[in-house]
Amino acid sequence: MPARFFFAVTLIAALRLGGLSAAEYDDEIPVMEAPLLEFVVTPSRSSESPDSVPAHIEVISAGDIEKSGASSVAELFESLPYIQVRMSMAGSGSGEISMRGFGENSGTRVLVLVDGHKRNDPDMHILNWLSIPLYDIERIEIYDGPASVQYGSNAVGGVINIITKKAPRTATILGVSGASFFGNSQFFSHQRSFSGAALSVSAGHTGSGGYRDRQGFSNAAMSGRMNFFLSDAVTLEADASFVVIDYAMPGSLSKAQFESDPRQAANQDDDAKEQHLSGGLALSWELSPDLTLVIPGRYSLKKVESNFPSYYTPNYTNRTVHSGELRPRAAWSKETGPLRFSLSGGVDLDMARLDVRSYADKARDTPAATLGGGAEVRAYTAAPYLTGRFSPCEYLTLSLGARYDSYFLFAETRDGTLDDAIVHHAFVYAAGLTVNPSKDLKFYASFTRLFHYPAADEQAEVYYGGTFNSGLKPETGFNAEAGTSYRLNRLASGSARFFFMRVDDEIWYNPLSYANENMDGNTGRFGLNADLELTPFAWAAFRGGYSLMRAIFRGGAFREKTVPLVPAHSVYAGMSLLTSFGLEGGADWTYASAAYQGGDFTNTRDRTGATNVFGLFVHYTLKKDGSTFAARLAVDNLLDASYAPLVYWDGYYPAAGRTISASLTYTF
């Protein structure tokens, strides 16, 4: 099937693009220049210029995604040193990400949005990135740093807002790819504009046999979106998506097993299946040229069947998550001479219900003895917020914001062992100053209060134990930051930011008490994130990034110890060369220094080794009469380095070895 689809895409492109002569190419080499960001939506949840934002905003475009050759969203972040990706537990969709130096359960401290809608689960389970198809993405906005005022609990390390394709023009895209270890994908995407409406639909499949034994996965997805332009001022958007994911879980290896054969599986029968169903409506109403009201609502259903016969006591679990949200907001802006004002605010109303059913057998005939075979957790959030920016002159912007957040959690087990509830409240605020001496130069400084509620299964241990940790408090703290960004025509652009983050009552799992607890004292994180892009010639570009992270426990039993799983240094460097006939080639290198393994709070166990990974790619683009044919060939982990980006309690999760991939896309 993949081979036939691959041939079909090539044949269609050849027939439509055939007859292209050399004269139809530009005589000059296209300038390799990153597009200037005109607006972003993530910082204030409404469209604005990034020049006025007291934070760093990174944008990954659809073109960047196509050239990356990534098989999941998480793989895109491997070229950003300030985002750590631990991707090796169950294939490319299982990567846990970390921003701002968090180790265990770091995924709960990075907020992931799709078109502004929350994708984080209420418990500690990480997002499966395969549930967000790459071919559906228009761009990704990454907010580096805390955004608790704008988004609440999960936005401690940063925010990743994935914005899907709309229908500004009529276009159809066909794509296919193949890779080592039987990797393959096929997708179809179509956007069309009508009089008073716009349609976007897509469908695709992704699969792999996996680098390791029993690390294969299969993913099928479909989605649709309709925009109805009811008037010049009113737009109604409706969307729905459905995803099915099957994957095996090979488990961790001992150090001896990893060194002898990193491709072997420790578990021969562990696997899981996920189903994701989501739908939403959003009404946008431009009440006046200065005032816009948006009322988005969404419901999501996730079903996960997990089979763990390898456990000491075999475990078979059905986990169902119902999520709903209503997040009305308004944005107002006004210019009076040199003065500019803008306000953005609203109320976040979220609901999540987690239903856990455990069984003693794979057929799900016999409920597990523990906790009566299951539990239910309900979580509700209500949070008004307001942010504003004031510019007294062209080169100066003051930003202020505040949020009052209330969180209600109810948990009960089927056998009545646990039947408790708790309420948390948080008030946070932020202030920032942005200076723009010119349109290409920005300096900023900011101070942000932050918070993070315990995950549902940290507060109520509904999977094991049946304990309700009523004394577990939310994490709180602050982030102080200063940074700059610049752009020198097409020749150079870059940014740098220094920050210090303090987190009080950080939550950790104590293996001695078998409970989730707040740490004594606080945790300090000092860091530097920087990036640079150079285009010294029209045909050559260089890009590099560096992240320094010093994450230290500053009190209690682990005083002056380093937070596990956090490397002190991360580096990315890449170069690309472009010809006049659409051929581009390049190489890249990523480096991460050694880190203490997960669970090693005393810093006494073996550390994960430093990693050096190299890659090569060739990308070819051919355009004619509004159609585009693109082909890509790449080699990742060129030197076939054997390394484990995740080591937890002496359990090694190997990364993939040398991987060769090829892809074709055709847009018409």
Side-chain angles (χ1 to χ4, degrees), residues 511-528:
L512 299 180
S513 64
Y514 300 101
N516 297 294
E517 301 176 356
N518 295 109
M519 285 190 168
D520 296 330
N522 61 73
T523 309
R525 291 169 169 85
F526 169 81
L528 161 66

Side-chain angles (χ1 to χ4, degrees), residues 41-371:
V41 297
T42 304
S44 65
R45 298 167 71 165
S46 60
S47 179
E48 63 179 334
S49 168
D51 295 337
S52 62
V53 178
H56 176 74
I57 312 297
E58 185 101 21
V59 175
I60 301 174
S61 68
D64 296 330
I65 294 172
E66 179 184 311
K67 291 183 179 181
S68 72
S71 61
S72 71
V73 174
E75 288 186 9
L76 294 171
F77 306 141
E78 293 180 335
S79 64
L80 302 176
Y82 61 90
I83 300 182
Q84 184 186 359
V85 183
R86 307 183 194 111
M87 182 151 38
S88 52
M89 296 186 69
S92 64
S94 63
E96 183 173 37
I97 60 174
S98 173
M99 298 177 67
R100 295 294 169 106
F102 287 91
E104 298 175 21
N105 297 321
S106 60
T108 66
R109 297 173 178 88
V110 176
L111 179 64
V112 180
L113 306 170
V114 175
D115 293 325
H117 300 290
K118 183 178 177 180
R119 292 298 298 268
N120 300 69
D121 282 347
D123 57 9
M124 290 185 285
H125 283 79
I126 62 176
L127 171 68
N128 192 317
W129 296 98
L130 294 174
S131 65
I132 308 172
L134 284 171
Y135 52 80
D136 236 4
I137 299 174
E138 180 63 32
R139 72 181 189 276
I140 301 174
E141 295 183 1
I142 303 170
Y143 186 105
D144 182 21
S148 295
V149 168
Q150 303 95 310
Y151 292 103
S153 176
N154 295 105
V156 178
V159 180
I160 295 173
N161 190 10
I162 299 167
I163 299 167
T164 58
K165 292 178 180 177
K166 307 302 188 288
R169 65 183 181 91
T170 298
T172 300
I173 306 175
L174 301 175
V176 63
S177 69
S180 303
F181 320 116
F182 302 100
N184 67 90
S185 70
Q186 312 85 38
F187 74 88
F188 159 83
S189 177
H190 179 73
Q191 293 85 42
R192 178 176 292 274
S193 296
F194 306 93
S195 176
L199 169 70
S200 178
V201 295
S202 66
H205 169 270
T206 303
S208 173
Y211 168 70
R212 297 178 61 192
D213 295 338
R214 301 206 69 260
Q215 199 181 32
F217 68 87
S218 177
N219 167 54
M222 61 180 67
S223 66
R225 174 179 289 100
M226 281 291 298
N227 291 81
F228 301 95
F229 308 107
L230 305 181
S231 70
D232 291 341
V234 181
T235 301
L236 178 65
E237 180 179 298
D239 71 272
S241 64
F242 180 64
V243 181
V244 178
I245 311 168
D246 292 275
Y247 52 94
M249 292 177 282
S252 65
L253 302 176
S254 67
K255 185 176 182 180
Q257 290 173 321
F258 168 68
E259 292 176 346
S260 65
D261 180 11
R263 299 189 63 178
Q264 63 182 297
N267 304 326
Q268 297 303 318
D269 298 299
D270 292 1
D271 58 25
K273 179 177 181 178
E274 299 186 13
Q275 298 181 68
H276 300 247
L277 175 66
S278 180
L281 289 172
L283 178 69
S284 178
W285 187 3
E286 188 176 311
L287 299 172
S288 72
D290 303 323
L291 180 62
T292 300
L293 174 66
V294 181
I295 307 176
R298 175 161 294 273
Y299 167 77
S300 299
L301 171 65
K302 177 189 293 187
K303 292 185 176 182
V304 183
E305 294 183 5
S306 303
N307 304 306
F308 295 101
S310 68
Y311 280 17
Y312 180 77
T313 300
N315 178 271
Y316 305 90
T317 302
N318 288 1
R319 175 174 164 269
T320 304
V321 182
H322 300 268
S323 302
E325 61 181 40
L326 182 65
R327 298 187 168 189
R329 64 182 186 273
W332 173 83
S333 61
K334 189 73 173 179
E335 291 191 24
T336 304
L339 304 180
R340 290 176 293 155
F341 306 85
S342 67
L343 290 173
S344 180
V347 180
D348 291 340
L349 303 172
D350 297 343
M351 176 279 295
R353 193 184 85 195
L354 170 65
D355 184 73
V356 181
R357 303 294 177 96
S358 299
Y359 300 90
D361 60 321
K362 190 172 183 178
R364 270 72 172 168
D365 293 326
T366 306
T370 306
L371 308 180

